[in-house]
Amino acid sequence: MQQKAPRRTRERILELSLRLFNEFGEPNITTTVIADEMNISPGNLYYHFRNKDDIVNSIFVQFEAEIERMLTVPAGRRSNMEDVWLYLHLMFELIWKYRFFYRDLNDLLSRNRKLELHFKAILAHKIKVARQLCEDLRSEGSLEAGDAQIGAMATNMVVVATYWLSYEYVRNPRKYSEQQAIADALARGCYQVLSMLGPYLRGETLALFQRLSDDFLAKLPPEAP
């Protein structure tokens, strides 16, 4: 059996840095900490990355590539409610994978011009996709809303999704790293975003939304006060 080639040091640095940034927050992690965790010298780390911002930017390139692939609506047909449901679940999984960008967003953007410009473009793209999903539902008669209402819904959906993890962290910071607690938090976020469409849905799509919602809510534990 052919053995896998060992991962390059650069890839291992990025993987470890992402984990440390996610667990402890990007502002709390230095290149010295990363080098120590990697069991390499700082000089070896600087051979691959000029500084911490270089590491952050390289992780962002990975994040941007993944989210661009995800922000593609089905081609050749209109989106339906199941597409929206799946899209939101995948979005929240990706947000969790790169959660330090969202948790430390204001701090990162205040000192990193590249992230500021690119993240702004990502938000605009998310709103565009959310608007298109709503317009597809309207075109098939499943959603009853005007252009202004759809515009507001699309923006609100992106705002809630972007800051949902921060909200969950404030609610229960001591359970923020517990796997089941986070799975429940992400599921609640997905439902919270989707629920914005509920009052505007009609016909079979409304019935499907209600069934999906009921099944989903039945699986969630009662929310702690």
Side-chain angles (χ1 to χ4, degrees), residues 62-101:
Q62 297 176 351
F63 163 72
E64 194 171 30
E66 290 188 47
I67 204 164
E68 286 296 325
R69 286 195 297 269
M70 207 205 73
L71 290 174
T72 303
V73 296
R77 65 176 177 85
R78 293 192 180 100
S79 303
N80 55 39
M81 177 53 60
E82 291 179 333
D83 291 323
V84 178
W85 190 271
L86 176 62
Y87 166 77
L88 288 174
H89 277 82
L90 294 176
M91 174 63 71
F92 272 99
E93 287 177 4
L94 190 61
I95 288 174
W96 177 250
K97 180 178 178 180
Y98 294 96
R99 58 192 176 276
F100 84 92
F101 283 126

Short mmCIF file of all heavy atoms in Angstrom, two decimals, residues 62-101:
data_model
loop_
_atom_site.label_atom_id
_atom_site.label_comp_id
_atom_site.label_asym_id
_atom_site.label_seq_id
_atom_site.Cartn_x
_atom_site.Cartn_y
_atom_site.Cartn_z
N GLN A 62 -7.67 30.19 2.27
CA GLN A 62 -8.36 28.90 2.30
C GLN A 62 -9.86 29.10 2.55
O GLN A 62 -10.71 28.50 1.87
CB GLN A 62 -7.78 28.02 3.41
CG GLN A 62 -6.33 27.65 3.22
CD GLN A 62 -5.78 26.85 4.39
OE1 GLN A 62 -6.42 26.71 5.43
NE2 GLN A 62 -4.58 26.33 4.23
N PHE A 63 -10.18 29.93 3.54
CA PHE A 63 -11.57 30.21 3.88
C PHE A 63 -12.31 30.82 2.69
O PHE A 63 -13.43 30.40 2.35
CB PHE A 63 -11.60 31.17 5.06
CG PHE A 63 -12.92 31.86 5.29
CD1 PHE A 63 -14.02 31.16 5.77
CD2 PHE A 63 -13.06 33.22 5.02
CE1 PHE A 63 -15.23 31.79 5.97
CE2 PHE A 63 -14.27 33.86 5.23
CZ PHE A 63 -15.36 33.15 5.70
N GLU A 64 -11.67 31.77 2.03
CA GLU A 64 -12.30 32.46 0.91
C GLU A 64 -12.59 31.49 -0.24
O GLU A 64 -13.65 31.55 -0.87
CB GLU A 64 -11.41 33.60 0.44
CG GLU A 64 -12.09 34.59 -0.48
CD GLU A 64 -11.23 35.82 -0.72
OE1 GLU A 64 -9.98 35.70 -0.70
OE2 GLU A 64 -11.79 36.90 -0.93
N ALA A 65 -11.66 30.58 -0.50
CA ALA A 65 -11.85 29.61 -1.57
C ALA A 65 -13.03 28.69 -1.25
O ALA A 65 -13.85 28.38 -2.13
CB ALA A 65 -10.58 28.79 -1.78
N GLU A 66 -13.14 28.26 0.00
CA GLU A 66 -14.23 27.37 0.39
C GLU A 66 -15.58 28.07 0.33
O GLU A 66 -16.58 27.50 -0.12
CB GLU A 66 -13.98 26.81 1.79
CG GLU A 66 -12.84 25.81 1.85
CD GLU A 66 -12.73 25.12 3.20
OE1 GLU A 66 -13.77 24.66 3.71
OE2 GLU A 66 -11.61 25.05 3.74
N ILE A 67 -15.61 29.31 0.80
CA ILE A 67 -16.90 30.01 0.83
C ILE A 67 -17.33 30.42 -0.57
O ILE A 67 -18.54 30.45 -0.87
CB ILE A 67 -16.85 31.21 1.80
CG1 ILE A 67 -18.27 31.54 2.28
CG2 ILE A 67 -16.23 32.44 1.16
CD1 ILE A 67 -18.32 32.44 3.48
N GLU A 68 -16.39 30.70 -1.44
CA GLU A 68 -16.76 31.04 -2.82
C GLU A 68 -17.38 29.83 -3.52
O GLU A 68 -18.32 29.97 -4.31
CB GLU A 68 -15.53 31.52 -3.60
CG GLU A 68 -15.08 32.93 -3.23
CD GLU A 68 -16.12 33.99 -3.58
OE1 GLU A 68 -16.82 33.83 -4.60
OE2 GLU A 68 -16.23 34.95 -2.82
N ARG A 69 -16.85 28.64 -3.22
CA ARG A 69 -17.44 27.43 -3.80
C ARG A 69 -18.85 27.21 -3.26
O ARG A 69 -19.74 26.75 -3.97
CB ARG A 69 -16.57 26.21 -3.49
CG ARG A 69 -15.29 26.13 -4.30
CD ARG A 69 -14.67 24.75 -4.23
NE ARG A 69 -14.27 24.40 -2.86
CZ ARG A 69 -13.07 24.65 -2.34
NH1 ARG A 69 -12.16 25.28 -3.07
NH2 ARG A 69 -12.78 24.29 -1.11
N MET A 70 -19.03 27.54 -2.00
CA MET A 70 -20.33 27.31 -1.37
C MET A 70 -21.38 28.32 -1.81
O MET A 70 -22.56 28.01 -1.90
CB MET A 70 -20.18 27.38 0.15
CG MET A 70 -21.21 26.56 0.89
SD MET A 70 -21.45 27.20 2.53
CE MET A 70 -22.37 28.67 2.17
N LEU A 71 -20.93 29.55 -2.10
CA LEU A 71 -21.87 30.61 -2.47
C LEU A 71 -22.24 30.53 -3.95
O LEU A 71 -22.17 31.49 -4.69
CB LEU A 71 -21.26 31.99 -2.16
CG LEU A 71 -21.12 32.34 -0.68
CD1 LEU A 71 -20.37 33.66 -0.50
CD2 LEU A 71 -22.49 32.43 -0.01
N THR A 72 -22.64 29.34 -4.36
CA THR A 72 -23.05 29.10 -5.73
C THR A 72 -24.40 28.43 -5.70
O THR A 72 -24.53 27.31 -5.19
CB THR A 72 -22.04 28.20 -6.46
OG1 THR A 72 -20.74 28.79 -6.39
CG2 THR A 72 -22.43 28.02 -7.92
N VAL A 73 -25.41 29.11 -6.19
CA VAL A 73 -26.76 28.55 -6.18
C VAL A 73 -26.88 27.52 -7.29
O VAL A 73 -26.11 27.52 -8.25
CB VAL A 73 -27.82 29.66 -6.36
CG1 VAL A 73 -27.79 30.62 -5.19
CG2 VAL A 73 -27.58 30.41 -7.66
N PRO A 74 -27.83 26.57 -7.16
CA PRO A 74 -27.98 25.52 -8.18
C PRO A 74 -28.16 26.11 -9.57
O PRO A 74 -28.95 27.04 -9.77
CB PRO A 74 -29.24 24.78 -7.73
CG PRO A 74 -29.33 25.05 -6.26
CD PRO A 74 -28.78 26.42 -6.06
N ALA A 75 -27.44 25.58 -10.53
CA ALA A 75 -27.52 26.09 -11.91
C ALA A 75 -28.62 25.37 -12.68
O ALA A 75 -28.87 24.19 -12.48
CB ALA A 75 -26.17 25.88 -12.61
N GLY A 76 -29.29 26.12 -13.54
CA GLY A 76 -30.27 25.51 -14.42
C GLY A 76 -31.64 25.31 -13.83
O GLY A 76 -32.53 24.77 -14.51
N ARG A 77 -31.85 25.69 -12.57
CA ARG A 77 -33.17 25.56 -11.96
C ARG A 77 -33.29 26.55 -10.82
O ARG A 77 -32.30 27.06 -10.31
CB ARG A 77 -33.41 24.15 -11.44
CG ARG A 77 -32.49 23.73 -10.28
CD ARG A 77 -32.86 22.36 -9.77
NE ARG A 77 -31.96 21.92 -8.71
CZ ARG A 77 -32.12 22.24 -7.42
NH1 ARG A 77 -33.12 23.03 -7.05
NH2 ARG A 77 -31.28 21.80 -6.51
N ARG A 78 -34.53 26.81 -10.41
CA ARG A 78 -34.75 27.69 -9.27
C ARG A 78 -34.50 26.94 -7.98
O ARG A 78 -34.75 25.74 -7.88
CB ARG A 78 -36.19 28.23 -9.29
CG ARG A 78 -36.50 29.16 -10.44
CD ARG A 78 -37.83 29.86 -10.20
NE ARG A 78 -38.16 30.77 -11.30
CZ ARG A 78 -39.01 30.48 -12.26
NH1 ARG A 78 -39.63 29.31 -12.26
NH2 ARG A 78 -39.27 31.34 -13.22
N SER A 79 -34.03 27.66 -6.98
CA SER A 79 -33.79 27.06 -5.67
C SER A 79 -35.12 26.80 -4.97
O SER A 79 -36.10 27.52 -5.19
CB SER A 79 -32.94 27.99 -4.80
OG SER A 79 -31.72 28.29 -5.45
N ASN A 80 -35.17 25.77 -4.11
CA ASN A 80 -36.36 25.49 -3.34
C ASN A 80 -36.02 25.52 -1.84
O ASN A 80 -34.87 25.79 -1.46
CB ASN A 80 -36.95 24.13 -3.74
CG ASN A 80 -35.94 23.00 -3.64
OD1 ASN A 80 -35.12 22.96 -2.71
ND2 ASN A 80 -35.98 22.09 -4.59
N MET A 81 -37.01 25.23 -1.01
CA MET A 81 -36.81 25.34 0.43
C MET A 81 -35.73 24.38 0.93
O MET A 81 -34.94 24.71 1.82
CB MET A 81 -38.13 25.07 1.16
CG MET A 81 -38.03 25.07 2.69
SD MET A 81 -37.27 26.57 3.38
CE MET A 81 -38.40 27.82 2.78
N GLU A 82 -35.63 23.19 0.36
CA GLU A 82 -34.60 22.24 0.78
C GLU A 82 -33.21 22.75 0.42
O GLU A 82 -32.25 22.52 1.17
CB GLU A 82 -34.87 20.87 0.15
CG GLU A 82 -36.12 20.20 0.72
CD GLU A 82 -36.40 18.85 0.08
OE1 GLU A 82 -35.99 18.67 -1.10
OE2 GLU A 82 -37.02 18.00 0.73
N ASP A 83 -33.09 23.45 -0.71
CA ASP A 83 -31.82 24.08 -1.06
C ASP A 83 -31.43 25.12 -0.01
O ASP A 83 -30.26 25.19 0.40
CB ASP A 83 -31.91 24.77 -2.43
CG ASP A 83 -32.04 23.78 -3.57
OD1 ASP A 83 -31.42 22.71 -3.50
OD2 ASP A 83 -32.77 24.07 -4.53
N VAL A 84 -32.39 25.93 0.41
CA VAL A 84 -32.13 26.97 1.41
C VAL A 84 -31.71 26.34 2.72
O VAL A 84 -30.74 26.78 3.37
CB VAL A 84 -33.37 27.87 1.60
CG1 VAL A 84 -33.11 28.91 2.68
CG2 VAL A 84 -33.77 28.54 0.29
N TRP A 85 -32.41 25.30 3.13
CA TRP A 85 -32.10 24.60 4.39
C TRP A 85 -30.69 24.05 4.36
O TRP A 85 -29.90 24.21 5.29
CB TRP A 85 -33.13 23.50 4.60
CG TRP A 85 -33.12 22.85 5.95
CD1 TRP A 85 -32.38 21.75 6.33
CD2 TRP A 85 -33.87 23.24 7.11
NE1 TRP A 85 -32.63 21.45 7.64
CE2 TRP A 85 -33.54 22.33 8.14
CE3 TRP A 85 -34.78 24.25 7.35
CZ2 TRP A 85 -34.10 22.41 9.42
CZ3 TRP A 85 -35.35 24.33 8.63
CH2 TRP A 85 -35.01 23.43 9.64
N LEU A 86 -30.34 23.36 3.26
CA LEU A 86 -29.00 22.78 3.11
C LEU A 86 -27.94 23.87 3.06
O LEU A 86 -26.89 23.75 3.71
CB LEU A 86 -28.93 21.92 1.85
CG LEU A 86 -27.56 21.32 1.52
CD1 LEU A 86 -27.10 20.37 2.63
CD2 LEU A 86 -27.61 20.57 0.17
N TYR A 87 -28.21 24.92 2.31
CA TYR A 87 -27.27 26.03 2.19
C TYR A 87 -26.93 26.61 3.56
O TYR A 87 -25.76 26.86 3.87
CB TYR A 87 -27.87 27.11 1.28
CG TYR A 87 -27.17 28.44 1.33
CD1 TYR A 87 -25.96 28.64 0.67
CD2 TYR A 87 -27.71 29.51 2.04
CE1 TYR A 87 -25.32 29.87 0.71
CE2 TYR A 87 -27.08 30.73 2.09
CZ TYR A 87 -25.89 30.91 1.43
OH TYR A 87 -25.25 32.13 1.50
N LEU A 88 -27.94 26.81 4.40
CA LEU A 88 -27.70 27.39 5.73
C LEU A 88 -26.90 26.46 6.61
O LEU A 88 -26.01 26.90 7.35
CB LEU A 88 -29.04 27.74 6.39
CG LEU A 88 -29.77 28.95 5.80
CD1 LEU A 88 -31.14 29.10 6.43
CD2 LEU A 88 -28.95 30.23 6.00
N HIS A 89 -27.19 25.16 6.56
CA HIS A 89 -26.41 24.22 7.36
C HIS A 89 -24.94 24.22 6.95
O HIS A 89 -24.04 24.22 7.80
CB HIS A 89 -27.00 22.81 7.23
CG HIS A 89 -28.15 22.55 8.15
ND1 HIS A 89 -29.43 22.94 7.86
CD2 HIS A 89 -28.21 21.97 9.37
CE1 HIS A 89 -30.24 22.59 8.85
NE2 HIS A 89 -29.52 22.00 9.78
N LEU A 90 -24.69 24.22 5.65
CA LEU A 90 -23.31 24.23 5.17
C LEU A 90 -22.62 25.54 5.54
O LEU A 90 -21.43 25.54 5.89
CB LEU A 90 -23.28 24.02 3.65
CG LEU A 90 -23.76 22.66 3.15
CD1 LEU A 90 -23.78 22.63 1.62
CD2 LEU A 90 -22.86 21.55 3.69
N MET A 91 -23.36 26.63 5.47
CA MET A 91 -22.79 27.93 5.82
C MET A 91 -22.36 27.96 7.29
O MET A 91 -21.27 28.40 7.62
CB MET A 91 -23.81 29.03 5.54
CG MET A 91 -23.38 30.42 6.02
SD MET A 91 -21.89 31.01 5.16
CE MET A 91 -22.57 31.33 3.53
N PHE A 92 -23.22 27.48 8.17
CA PHE A 92 -22.88 27.50 9.59
C PHE A 92 -21.74 26.54 9.91
O PHE A 92 -20.92 26.83 10.80
CB PHE A 92 -24.11 27.17 10.44
CG PHE A 92 -24.93 28.39 10.78
CD1 PHE A 92 -26.06 28.71 10.06
CD2 PHE A 92 -24.54 29.23 11.81
CE1 PHE A 92 -26.81 29.85 10.36
CE2 PHE A 92 -25.28 30.37 12.12
CZ PHE A 92 -26.42 30.68 11.40
N GLU A 93 -21.64 25.42 9.21
CA GLU A 93 -20.50 24.53 9.41
C GLU A 93 -19.19 25.22 9.01
O GLU A 93 -18.16 25.07 9.69
CB GLU A 93 -20.70 23.25 8.60
CG GLU A 93 -21.76 22.32 9.17
CD GLU A 93 -21.97 21.09 8.31
OE1 GLU A 93 -21.23 20.93 7.31
OE2 GLU A 93 -22.88 20.30 8.62
N LEU A 94 -19.23 25.97 7.92
CA LEU A 94 -18.03 26.67 7.47
C LEU A 94 -17.68 27.81 8.43
O LEU A 94 -16.50 28.04 8.73
CB LEU A 94 -18.25 27.22 6.06
CG LEU A 94 -17.00 27.77 5.35
CD1 LEU A 94 -15.96 26.67 5.18
CD2 LEU A 94 -17.38 28.35 4.00
N ILE A 95 -18.69 28.51 8.92
CA ILE A 95 -18.44 29.57 9.91
C ILE A 95 -17.78 28.98 11.15
O ILE A 95 -16.84 29.57 11.71
CB ILE A 95 -19.76 30.28 10.27
CG1 ILE A 95 -20.23 31.16 9.10
CG2 ILE A 95 -19.60 31.14 11.53
CD1 ILE A 95 -21.60 31.78 9.30
N TRP A 96 -18.23 27.82 11.59
CA TRP A 96 -17.62 27.19 12.76
C TRP A 96 -16.19 26.75 12.47
O TRP A 96 -15.30 26.91 13.32
CB TRP A 96 -18.45 25.99 13.21
CG TRP A 96 -17.83 25.27 14.37
CD1 TRP A 96 -17.25 24.03 14.37
CD2 TRP A 96 -17.69 25.76 15.71
NE1 TRP A 96 -16.77 23.73 15.61
CE2 TRP A 96 -17.03 24.76 16.45
CE3 TRP A 96 -18.07 26.94 16.35
CZ2 TRP A 96 -16.74 24.91 17.81
CZ3 TRP A 96 -17.78 27.09 17.70
CH2 TRP A 96 -17.12 26.09 18.41
N LYS A 97 -15.93 26.22 11.29
CA LYS A 97 -14.58 25.77 10.94
C LYS A 97 -13.58 26.92 11.01
O LYS A 97 -12.44 26.73 11.46
CB LYS A 97 -14.59 25.17 9.53
CG LYS A 97 -13.22 24.67 9.07
CD LYS A 97 -13.31 24.04 7.68
CE LYS A 97 -11.93 23.59 7.20
NZ LYS A 97 -12.00 22.98 5.84
N TYR A 98 -14.01 28.12 10.60
CA TYR A 98 -13.14 29.30 10.62
C TYR A 98 -13.69 30.34 11.59
O TYR A 98 -13.69 31.53 11.31
CB TYR A 98 -13.05 29.90 9.22
CG TYR A 98 -12.36 29.01 8.21
CD1 TYR A 98 -13.10 28.17 7.37
CD2 TYR A 98 -10.97 28.98 8.10
CE1 TYR A 98 -12.47 27.35 6.44
CE2 TYR A 98 -10.34 28.17 7.17
CZ TYR A 98 -11.09 27.35 6.34
OH TYR A 98 -10.46 26.55 5.42
N ARG A 99 -14.11 29.90 12.75
CA ARG A 99 -14.86 30.76 13.66
C ARG A 99 -14.08 31.94 14.20
O ARG A 99 -14.67 32.95 14.58
CB ARG A 99 -15.44 29.96 14.83
CG ARG A 99 -14.43 29.20 15.66
CD ARG A 99 -15.16 28.21 16.57
NE ARG A 99 -14.29 27.36 17.34
CZ ARG A 99 -13.75 26.23 16.89
NH1 ARG A 99 -13.99 25.85 15.64
NH2 ARG A 99 -12.97 25.49 17.64
N PHE A 100 -12.75 31.86 14.24
CA PHE A 100 -12.00 32.99 14.80
C PHE A 100 -12.17 34.25 13.94
O PHE A 100 -12.12 35.37 14.46
CB PHE A 100 -10.52 32.64 14.98
CG PHE A 100 -9.66 32.80 13.76
CD1 PHE A 100 -8.99 34.00 13.52
CD2 PHE A 100 -9.49 31.76 12.86
CE1 PHE A 100 -8.17 34.15 12.41
CE2 PHE A 100 -8.68 31.90 11.75
CZ PHE A 100 -8.02 33.10 11.52
N PHE A 101 -12.38 34.06 12.62
CA PHE A 101 -12.62 35.23 11.77
C PHE A 101 -13.88 35.97 12.22
O PHE A 101 -13.93 37.20 12.20
CB PHE A 101 -12.78 34.82 10.30
CG PHE A 101 -11.49 34.50 9.61
CD1 PHE A 101 -11.31 33.29 8.96
CD2 PHE A 101 -10.44 35.41 9.59
CE1 PHE A 101 -10.11 32.99 8.32
CE2 PHE A 101 -9.24 35.11 8.96
CZ PHE A 101 -9.08 33.90 8.32
#
